[in-house]
Coordinates of all heavy atoms in Angstrom, one line a residue:
K1 N -101.7 -19.2 -13.1 CA -101.0 -19.4 -11.9 C -99.6 -20.0 -12.2 O -99.4 -20.5 -13.3 CB -101.7 -20.5 -11.0 CG -103.0 -20.0 -10.6 CD -103.0 -19.2 -9.4 CE -104.4 -19.0 -8.9 NZ -104.4 -18.5 -7.5
E2 N -98.6 -19.8 -11.3 CA -97.3 -20.4 -11.5 C -97.4 -21.9 -11.1 O -98.1 -22.3 -10.1 CB -96.3 -19.6 -10.6 CG -94.9 -20.1 -10.9 CD -93.9 -19.3 -10.0 OE1 -94.3 -18.4 -9.2 OE2 -92.7 -19.5 -10.1
F3 N -96.7 -22.7 -11.9 CA -96.6 -24.1 -11.7 C -95.1 -24.5 -11.5 O -94.3 -24.1 -12.1 CB -97.2 -24.8 -13.0 CG -97.1 -26.3 -12.8 CD1 -98.1 -27.0 -12.1 CD2 -96.1 -27.1 -13.4 CE1 -98.1 -28.4 -12.0 CE2 -96.1 -28.4 -13.3 CZ -97.0 -29.1 -12.6
F4 N -95.0 -25.5 -10.4 CA -93.6 -25.8 -10.1 C -93.7 -27.3 -9.9 O -94.5 -27.8 -9.1 CB -93.2 -25.1 -8.8 CG -91.8 -25.5 -8.3 CD1 -90.7 -24.8 -8.9 CD2 -91.6 -26.5 -7.4 CE1 -89.5 -25.2 -8.4 CE2 -90.5 -26.8 -7.0 CZ -89.3 -26.2 -7.4
L5 N -92.8 -28.1 -10.5 CA -92.7 -29.5 -10.3 C -91.3 -29.9 -10.0 O -90.3 -29.4 -10.8 CB -93.1 -30.3 -11.6 CG -92.9 -31.7 -11.7 CD1 -93.8 -32.5 -10.7 CD2 -93.1 -32.3 -13.1
E6 N -91.1 -30.6 -8.9 CA -89.7 -31.1 -8.6 C -89.7 -32.5 -8.3 O -90.6 -33.0 -7.7 CB -89.3 -30.4 -7.3 CG -87.9 -30.7 -6.7 CD -87.4 -30.1 -5.5 OE1 -88.3 -29.4 -4.9 OE2 -86.3 -30.2 -5.1
I7 N -88.8 -33.2 -9.0 CA -88.9 -34.7 -8.9 C -87.5 -35.0 -8.2 O -86.4 -34.7 -8.8 CB -88.9 -35.4 -10.4 CG1 -90.1 -34.9 -11.0 CG2 -88.7 -36.8 -10.2 CD1 -90.2 -35.4 -12.4
G8 N -87.6 -35.7 -7.1 CA -86.3 -36.1 -6.5 C -85.9 -37.5 -7.0 O -86.7 -38.3 -7.1
T9 N -84.7 -37.7 -7.3 CA -84.2 -39.0 -7.8 C -83.0 -39.4 -7.1 O -82.3 -38.7 -6.2 CB -83.8 -38.8 -9.3 OG1 -82.8 -37.9 -9.4 CG2 -85.0 -38.2 -10.1
E10 N -82.6 -40.7 -7.4 CA -81.3 -41.1 -6.9 C -80.2 -40.4 -7.8 O -80.6 -39.7 -8.8 CB -81.2 -42.7 -7.0 CG -82.1 -43.3 -6.1 CD -81.8 -44.9 -6.1 OE1 -80.8 -45.3 -6.6 OE2 -82.7 -45.5 -5.6
E11 N -79.0 -40.6 -7.5 CA -77.9 -39.9 -8.3 C -78.0 -40.2 -9.8 O -78.0 -41.4 -10.2 CB -76.5 -40.5 -7.7 CG -75.3 -39.6 -8.2 CD -75.2 -38.4 -7.4 OE1 -75.8 -38.2 -6.3 OE2 -74.6 -37.5 -7.9
I12 N -78.1 -39.2 -10.6 CA -78.2 -39.3 -12.0 C -76.9 -38.9 -12.6 O -76.4 -37.9 -12.3 CB -79.3 -38.5 -12.7 CG1 -80.6 -38.8 -12.2 CG2 -79.3 -38.5 -14.2 CD1 -81.8 -37.8 -12.6
P13 N -76.3 -39.8 -13.5 CA -75.0 -39.3 -14.1 C -75.2 -38.0 -14.9 O -76.2 -37.9 -15.4 CB -74.7 -40.5 -15.0 CG -75.4 -41.7 -14.4 CD -76.6 -41.1 -13.9
S14 N -74.2 -37.2 -14.9 CA -74.4 -35.8 -15.5 C -74.7 -35.9 -16.9 O -75.4 -35.0 -17.4 CB -73.2 -35.0 -15.2 OG -72.0 -35.7 -15.9
R15 N -74.3 -36.9 -17.7 CA -74.5 -36.9 -19.1 C -76.0 -37.2 -19.4 O -76.5 -37.0 -20.5 CB -73.7 -38.0 -19.8 CG -73.9 -39.4 -19.5 CD -73.0 -40.4 -20.1 NE -73.3 -41.7 -19.8 CZ -72.8 -42.5 -18.9 NH1 -72.1 -41.9 -17.9 NH2 -73.2 -43.7 -18.7
F16 N -76.8 -37.7 -18.4 CA -78.2 -38.0 -18.6 C -79.2 -36.8 -18.2 O -80.3 -36.8 -18.5 CB -78.6 -39.2 -17.8 CG -77.9 -40.5 -18.3 CD1 -77.3 -41.3 -17.3 CD2 -77.9 -40.8 -19.6 CE1 -76.7 -42.5 -17.8 CE2 -77.3 -42.0 -20.1 CZ -76.8 -42.9 -19.1
I17 N -78.6 -35.8 -17.5 CA -79.5 -34.7 -17.0 C -80.1 -33.9 -18.1 O -81.2 -33.7 -18.2 CB -78.7 -33.9 -16.0 CG1 -78.3 -34.7 -14.7 CG2 -79.4 -32.7 -15.6 CD1 -77.5 -34.0 -13.7
E18 N -79.2 -33.4 -19.1 CA -79.8 -32.5 -20.2 C -80.7 -33.2 -21.0 O -81.8 -32.7 -21.3 CB -78.6 -32.1 -21.0 CG -77.8 -30.9 -20.4 CD -78.6 -29.7 -20.1 OE1 -79.5 -29.3 -20.9 OE2 -78.4 -29.1 -19.0
P19 N -80.6 -34.6 -21.5 CA -81.6 -35.2 -22.2 C -82.9 -35.4 -21.4 O -84.0 -35.3 -21.9 CB -81.0 -36.6 -22.6 CG -79.5 -36.4 -22.5 CD -79.2 -35.3 -21.5
A20 N -82.7 -35.7 -20.2 CA -83.9 -35.9 -19.3 C -84.7 -34.6 -19.2 O -86.0 -34.6 -19.2 CB -83.5 -36.4 -17.9
L21 N -84.1 -33.6 -19.0 CA -84.7 -32.2 -18.9 C -85.4 -31.9 -20.2 O -86.5 -31.3 -20.2 CB -83.7 -31.2 -18.5 CG -83.1 -31.2 -17.1 CD1 -82.1 -30.2 -16.9 CD2 -84.2 -31.1 -16.0
A22 N -84.7 -32.1 -21.3 CA -85.4 -31.8 -22.6 C -86.6 -32.6 -22.9 O -87.6 -32.1 -23.3 CB -84.4 -32.0 -23.7
K23 N -86.5 -33.9 -22.5 CA -87.6 -34.8 -22.6 C -88.8 -34.5 -21.7 O -89.9 -34.5 -22.0 CB -87.2 -36.2 -22.4 CG -88.2 -37.3 -22.8 CD -88.6 -37.3 -24.3 CE -89.5 -38.4 -24.7 NZ -89.8 -38.4 -26.2
M24 N -88.5 -34.0 -20.5 CA -89.4 -33.6 -19.5 C -90.2 -32.4 -20.0 O -91.4 -32.4 -19.9 CB -88.7 -33.3 -18.2 CG -89.7 -33.1 -17.0 SD -89.0 -33.1 -15.4 CE -88.2 -31.5 -15.3
K25 N -89.5 -31.4 -20.6 CA -90.2 -30.2 -21.1 C -91.0 -30.6 -22.3 O -92.2 -30.1 -22.4 CB -89.2 -29.2 -21.4 CG -89.7 -27.9 -22.0 CD -88.6 -26.9 -22.3 CE -89.2 -25.5 -22.7 NZ -88.2 -24.6 -22.9
E26 N -90.6 -31.4 -23.2 CA -91.3 -31.8 -24.4 C -92.6 -32.6 -23.9 O -93.7 -32.4 -24.4 CB -90.5 -32.8 -25.2 CG -91.2 -33.4 -26.4 CD -90.3 -34.4 -27.1 OE1 -89.1 -34.4 -27.0 OE2 -90.9 -35.4 -27.6
L27 N -92.5 -33.5 -23.0 CA -93.7 -34.2 -22.5 C -94.7 -33.3 -21.8 O -95.9 -33.5 -21.9 CB -93.2 -35.4 -21.6 CG -92.5 -36.5 -22.3 CD1 -92.0 -37.6 -21.3 CD2 -93.5 -37.2 -23.4
F28 N -94.2 -32.3 -21.0 CA -95.0 -31.5 -20.3 C -95.9 -30.7 -21.3 O -97.1 -30.5 -21.2 CB -94.2 -30.6 -19.4 CG -95.1 -29.6 -18.6 CD1 -95.9 -30.1 -17.5 CD2 -95.1 -28.3 -18.8 CE1 -96.7 -29.3 -16.7 CE2 -95.9 -27.5 -18.1 CZ -96.7 -28.0 -17.0
I29 N -95.2 -30.1 -22.4 CA -95.9 -29.3 -23.4 C -96.9 -30.2 -24.0 O -98.1 -29.7 -24.3 CB -94.8 -28.7 -24.3 CG1 -94.0 -27.6 -23.7 CG2 -95.5 -28.2 -25.6 CD1 -92.9 -27.2 -24.4
Q30 N -96.6 -31.4 -24.4 CA -97.5 -32.3 -25.0 C -98.7 -32.6 -24.0 O -99.9 -32.7 -24.5 CB -96.8 -33.6 -25.4 CG -97.7 -34.7 -26.1 CD -96.9 -35.9 -26.5 OE1 -95.7 -36.0 -26.1 NE2 -97.5 -36.9 -27.1
L31 N -98.5 -32.8 -22.8 CA -99.5 -33.1 -21.9 C -100.5 -31.9 -21.7 O -101.7 -32.0 -21.7 CB -98.9 -33.4 -20.5 CG -99.8 -33.6 -19.4 CD1 -100.6 -35.0 -19.6 CD2 -99.2 -33.7 -18.0
L32 N -100.0 -30.7 -21.8 CA -100.7 -29.5 -21.8 C -101.7 -29.3 -23.0 O -102.8 -29.1 -22.9 CB -99.9 -28.2 -21.6 CG -99.1 -27.9 -20.4 CD1 -98.4 -26.7 -20.5 CD2 -100.1 -27.8 -19.2
A33 N -101.1 -29.6 -24.2 CA -101.8 -29.6 -25.4 C -102.9 -30.7 -25.5 O -104.1 -30.3 -25.7 CB -100.9 -29.9 -26.6
N34 N -102.7 -31.9 -25.0 CA -103.7 -32.9 -24.9 C -104.8 -32.6 -24.0 O -105.9 -33.0 -24.1 CB -103.0 -34.3 -24.5 CG -102.1 -34.8 -25.7 OD1 -102.2 -34.3 -26.8 ND2 -101.3 -35.8 -25.4
G35 N -104.4 -31.8 -22.9 CA -105.4 -31.5 -21.9 C -106.2 -30.2 -22.1 O -106.9 -29.7 -21.2
R36 N -105.9 -29.6 -23.2 CA -106.3 -28.3 -23.6 C -106.1 -27.2 -22.4 O -107.0 -26.5 -22.1 CB -107.9 -28.4 -23.8 CG -108.2 -29.3 -24.9 CD -109.7 -29.4 -25.2 NE -110.6 -29.1 -24.2 CZ -111.1 -30.1 -23.3 NH1 -110.7 -31.4 -23.5 NH2 -111.9 -29.8 -22.4
V37 N -104.9 -27.2 -21.9 CA -104.5 -26.3 -20.9 C -103.5 -25.3 -21.5 O -102.5 -25.7 -22.2 CB -103.9 -26.9 -19.7 CG1 -103.5 -25.9 -18.7 CG2 -105.0 -27.8 -19.1
A38 N -103.6 -24.0 -21.4 CA -102.8 -23.1 -22.0 C -101.7 -22.6 -21.1 O -101.9 -22.4 -19.9 CB -103.5 -21.8 -22.5

């Protein structure tokens, strides 16, 4: 199935967006691996 996650935040400075997205992807992949979900 397709999975979609949207997080609404207060205004984030533009210099923090890219690192936050990279960390979010890394943590999601780690969460999938720990939960044995492919």
Side-chain angles (χ1 to χ4, degrees):
K1 299 276 184 163
E2 185 175 0
F3 178 80
F4 180 86
L5 173 67
E6 179 180 11
I7 301 172
T9 65
E10 292 187 17
E11 193 79 20
I12 299 174
S14 61
R15 69 181 183 272
F16 295 132
I17 294 174
E18 284 299 320
L21 292 174
K23 190 65 173 179
M24 186 167 78
K25 184 175 182 178
E26 175 188 329
L27 290 173
F28 184 72
I29 291 170
Q30 182 180 2
L31 181 68
L32 291 178
N34 290 344
R36 299 182 331 269
V37 177

